[in-house]
Amino acid sequence: MSHQIPEKQWAQVIEKTGGPVDYKQIPVQKPGPDEVLVNIKYSGVCHTDLHAVNGDWPLERKLPLVGGHEGAGVIVAKGELVQDVEIGDHAGIKWLNGSCLACDFCQTGDEPLCGKATLSGYAVDGTFQQYAIAKAAHVARIPKDVPLDAIAPILCAGITVYKGLKESNARPGQTVAIVGAGGGLGSIACQYAKAMGLQVIGIDTGDEKAAMVKKLGAESFIDFAKSSNVVKDVQAATEDGLGPHAVLLVAVNEKPFQQATEYLRPRGTLIAIGLPAGAYLRAPVFETVAGMKTIKGSYVGNRKDTSEAIDFYRRGLINAPFKVVGMSELNKVYEMMHEGKIAGRYVVDTSK
Ligand code: 8ID
Ligand code: ZN
Ligand code: ZN
């Protein structure tokens, strides 16, 4: 089936820091020798995209910029060096658009740490456009029996929380606290954690998020805005009162990072994933040392984590709620996200 590639396409462009994003027509680019052009059908909206609009991270980005890094679609063109994916294949463009594949990190499956990594929707144009480019080696391979709207959020949120749960070394039967459980990463994390045999304590705020988090399999929910002592409440939610074996921190706020170092169980592992602007991780030295606690960061995932995370979805283990709106509505999605009003994930349809 041949696909007519147009010269122009619809895109959401960040023209200036702080937004709003501009919905307009821009030219379709041509893929380089080792790249593919993907006709993006759906793209999830990650809080990282809002950080890119606001430019609040200590990491330089391109401007003007097309954001987006949870893009799912169909390969419509490829460079002459690309051999292992074909036109017509379904593919995903994720945060890691490309990496050198030759450095120490790339050789050992830590390509997110590559010094030459290019980031979709940040350092290079991303997936809030109808045709986006990525290195063929890095596009996610999406089986054709998987729906493109539902798989979009897996391409960042899914991969990231799956990787984070693996990095926590929590074993089946143990307990993980998911901080920010009602958001995009958190809601999907509830499902991966459940599929991995973990017990979940969800932490977030509001009745809508509480109901959703419980439906997604959390044993308990703590509303951080209603609780007078989050540390005590989280510990009390574990069977022996000693706190969770792991904490997955996906909130966009500094305070819960501090709290988590306190309620984390001795020998437990805190996985920092959320990236609140200008925040610091502060832990009490005595309790961290005498409790032999581990505090570490986790940053997206590699190509293998990607295919494993997609496979969890394909096997029917991941079913988190998402809402689809037209790409032209992106500014409204950012507003709701800024206000913390989104339970789960929004996905934009690039045809509207
Ligand atoms: O590789 C990575 N490390 C990576 C990958 C993808 C995303 C990191 N991130 C980062 C994003 O840049 C962002 O900073 O993870 C963070 C969360 O992204 P998201 O899940 O896409 O954001 P969201 O949908 O807005 O959800 C955030 C949730 O946190 C809750 C909010 O209510 C919301 O549901 N929350 C906040 I803000 N403060 C909280 C608190 N004190 C809290 N939940 C519990 N306690
Ligand atoms: Zn993301
Ligand atoms: Zn590299």
Side-chain angles (χ1 to χ4, degrees):
M1 211 172 55
S2 78
H3 180 98
Q4 199 61 43
I5 301 166
E7 284 185 3
K8 288 208 154 192
Q9 56 158 346
W10 287 100
Q12 283 282 16
V13 185
I14 304 168
E15 304 276 0
K16 60 177 195 307
T17 297
V21 284
D22 221 353
Y23 187 58
K24 62 179 191 182
Q25 289 217 303
I26 62 169
V28 174
Q29 306 293 323
K30 288 205 166 46
D34 58 348
E35 293 175 336
V36 291
L37 181 69
V38 180
N39 176 205
I40 302 291
K41 302 290 188 191
Y42 297 96
S43 188
V45 186
C46 178
H47 207 114
T48 292
D49 299 314
L50 186 53
H51 291 294
V53 172
N54 292 331
D56 60 14
W57 285 348
L59 182 65
E60 211 173 306
R61 76 205 193 296
K62 169 182 181 289
L63 265 189
L65 170 70
V66 176
H69 59 276
E70 287 185 346
V74 183
I75 296 178
V76 290
K78 60 177 199 169
E80 67 264 25
L81 299 177
V82 177
Q83 288 184 336
D84 63 334
V85 288
E86 298 301 331
I87 289 169
D89 284 358
H90 290 186
I93 296 187
K94 52 194 177 50
W95 181 241
L96 222 67
N97 191 277
S99 75
C100 82
L101 300 177
C103 72
D104 216 50
F105 295 118
C106 282
Q107 286 196 47
T108 53
D110 264 338
E111 62 254 28
L113 307 180
C114 174
K116 291 181 182 153
T118 47
L119 308 175
S120 309
Y122 201 91
V124 296
D125 283 344
T127 56
F128 295 141
Q129 56 180 338
Q130 293 172 311
Y131 294 87
I133 288 172
K135 297 288 180 195
H138 281 278
V139 289
R141 277 67 174 157
I142 300 176
K144 286 209 170 138
D145 58 351
V146 163
L148 291 174
D149 54 355
I151 204 67
I154 302 300
L155 297 171
C156 174
I159 294 165
T160 302
V161 299
Y162 172 63
K163 175 71 159 189
L165 288 165
K166 285 206 292 185
E167 287 285 316
S168 80
N169 291 319
R171 292 191 303 276
Q174 295 186 331
T175 300
V176 59
I178 298 173
V179 188
L185 266 64
S187 55
I188 291 171
C190 292
Q191 289 273 288
Y192 277 96
K194 194 179 163 205
M196 292 160 92
L198 300 167
Q199 299 191 50
V200 173
I201 302 170
I203 307 165
D204 212 306
T205 190
D207 295 342
E208 188 190 0
K209 288 180 184 176
M212 179 191 73
V213 167
K214 286 207 176 133
K215 205 169 154 212
L216 290 171
E219 268 77 17
S220 51
F221 181 85
I222 293 158
D223 191 320
F224 72 86
K226 286 185 191 156
S227 165
S228 59
N229 191 331
V230 170
V231 173
K232 275 211 177 110
D233 285 350
V234 175
Q235 286 176 328
T238 58
E239 255 164 57
D240 54 10
L242 294 175
H245 300 82
V247 181
L248 209 67
L249 253 153
V250 294
V252 197
N253 206 331
E254 179 172 304
K255 193 171 171 199
F257 284 78
Q258 263 64 282
Q259 288 170 336
T261 66
E262 292 178 41
Y263 60 66
L264 181 66
R265 185 187 193 84
R267 262 291 185 212
T269 302
L270 186 164
I271 300 291
I273 290 177
L275 291 160
Y280 282 82
L281 240 167
R282 230 174 119 250
V285 171
F286 186 86
E287 286 81 357
T288 305
V289 172
M292 298 184 72
K293 299 185 183 186
T294 303
I295 298 175
K296 60 178 178 176
S298 187
Y299 184 44
V300 286
N302 63 22
R303 287 164 292 160
K304 187 67 179 159
D305 300 315
T306 301
S307 61
E308 288 176 7
I310 291 173
D311 207 49
F312 267 66
Y313 180 87
R314 195 189 54 79
R315 286 185 285 144
L317 299 169
I318 310 300
N319 194 356
F322 63 93
K323 287 199 185 89
V324 180
V325 296
M327 184 166 70
S328 57
E329 310 280 297
L330 185 59
N331 275 313
K332 284 186 200 154
V333 179
Y334 285 146
E335 272 168 40
M336 285 187 283
M337 182 175 268
H338 174 70
E339 288 164 12
K341 283 190 181 148
I342 299 178
R345 208 29 143 213
Y346 267 80
V347 169
V348 298
D349 175 343
T350 65
S351 71
K352 294 181 200 160

